[in-house]
């Protein structure tokens, strides 16, 4: 169902909402960049580098970490954010955000395996967001890895991201090429 609202005001409202939700967070890289840089990086990858112009995909990309990664793991806040996203941005956006949200009830190692399994079952639109997410993370970890990550952990991260992406191929050739180039560059930067 195509969105009927004009795309730009919705996108700006989504970025503003994400900025509020992520306002106390930093990226875990050594530079500790503001968290909001990450959803903005996804938008750049989707809209600028890959020419994606589906408004709901872009709005959902702006919001993609809001349910999972904001302050307060308490279920009531998660439910509140779900309700707000549905009310302000619509059911399709909420569905996309939920499709790319990890199940935080699982331990971390299991969550990483679940992402690989889950990736193959995502809709095409959800895959676009996931491709962009993995591309942005691979670039960030390539350029500014967390201070306590050993080279082996960085290499392991790149291998895992490649497996998630491999499970989703066929959704958008341009985005896949953008990911492949980002991964090759990040591996080169870390001697791989
Ligand atoms: Zn993300």
């Amino acid at each position: 169902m195509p969105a009927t609202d004009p795309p730009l005001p919705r996108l700006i409202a989504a970025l503003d909402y994400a900025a509020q939700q992520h306002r106390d967070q930093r990226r875990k890289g050594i530079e500790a960049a503001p968290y909001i840089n990450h959803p903005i990086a996804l938008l750049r990858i989707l809209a600028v580098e890959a020419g994606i112009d589906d408004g709901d995909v872009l709005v959902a990309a702006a919001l993609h970490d809001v349910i999972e990664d904001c302050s307060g793991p308490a279920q009531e806040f998660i439910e509140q954010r779900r309700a707000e996203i549905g009310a302000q941005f619509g059911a399709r956006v909420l569905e996309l955000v939920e499709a790319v949200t990890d199940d935080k009830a699982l331990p971390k190692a299991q969550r990483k395996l679940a992402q690989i399994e889950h990736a193959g079952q995502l809709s095409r639109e959800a895959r676009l967001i996931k491709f962009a997410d993995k591309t942005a993370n691979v670039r960030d970890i390539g350029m500014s890895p967390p201070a306590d990550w050993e080279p082996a952990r960085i290499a392991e991260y790149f291998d895992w991201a490649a497996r998630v992406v491999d499970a989703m191929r066929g959704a958008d050739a341009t985005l896949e090429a953008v990911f492949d180039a980002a991964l090759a560059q990040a591996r080169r930067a870390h001697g791989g």
Side-chain angles (χ1 to χ4, degrees):
M1 182 181 62
T4 48
D5 291 345
L8 196 53
R10 285 180 79 223
L11 186 54
I12 292 168
L15 271 177
D16 180 55
Y17 182 82
Q20 296 292 334
Q21 300 301 319
H22 292 304
R23 67 187 178 278
D24 296 325
Q25 289 175 284
R26 296 262 159 184
R27 297 289 286 164
K28 58 188 175 188
I30 203 158
E31 291 169 2
Y35 200 93
I36 194 66
N37 287 19
H38 170 63
I40 293 172
L42 262 70
L43 289 181
R44 191 205 135 82
I45 290 161
L46 288 165
V48 180
E49 297 180 48
I52 306 288
D53 62 359
D54 179 330
D56 282 340
V57 168
L58 298 179
V59 167
L63 300 169
H64 81 281
D65 275 335
V66 156
I67 290 179
E68 179 178 334
D69 272 342
C70 286
S71 53
Q75 196 61 24
E76 55 185 314
F77 294 123
I78 291 176
E79 285 310 320
Q80 188 185 324
R81 286 198 296 277
R82 274 201 182 109
E84 284 170 358
I85 291 170
Q88 290 179 39
F89 303 103
R92 184 170 178 238
V93 166
L94 178 60
E95 200 180 295
L96 286 172
V97 172
E98 295 202 302
V100 298
T101 295
D102 273 1
D103 181 356
K104 285 260 157 146
L106 295 174
K108 188 146 191 179
Q110 250 170 284
R111 227 155 64 209
K112 298 205 105 177
L113 283 178
Q115 265 204 47
I116 298 171
E117 281 167 27
H118 187 56
Q121 295 150 24
L122 293 175
S123 67
R124 178 176 176 273
E125 289 76 14
R127 287 178 196 212
L128 302 180
I129 298 168
K130 202 97 185 162
F131 273 125
D133 193 27
K134 289 289 169 274
T135 304
N137 285 335
V138 157
R139 281 181 182 163
D140 279 358
I141 288 172
M143 286 186 295
S144 173
D148 59 345
W149 281 29
E150 302 291 330
R153 179 153 181 207
I154 294 172
E156 212 173 276
Y157 180 86
F158 293 154
D159 291 347
W160 170 74
R163 289 181 66 193
V164 175
V165 163
D166 284 345
M168 306 190 292
R169 288 194 188 266
D172 188 280
T174 306
L175 263 183
E176 287 169 40
V178 168
F179 173 83
D180 290 340
L183 181 64
Q185 190 175 12
R187 278 181 166 151
R188 268 197 308 276
H190 291 275

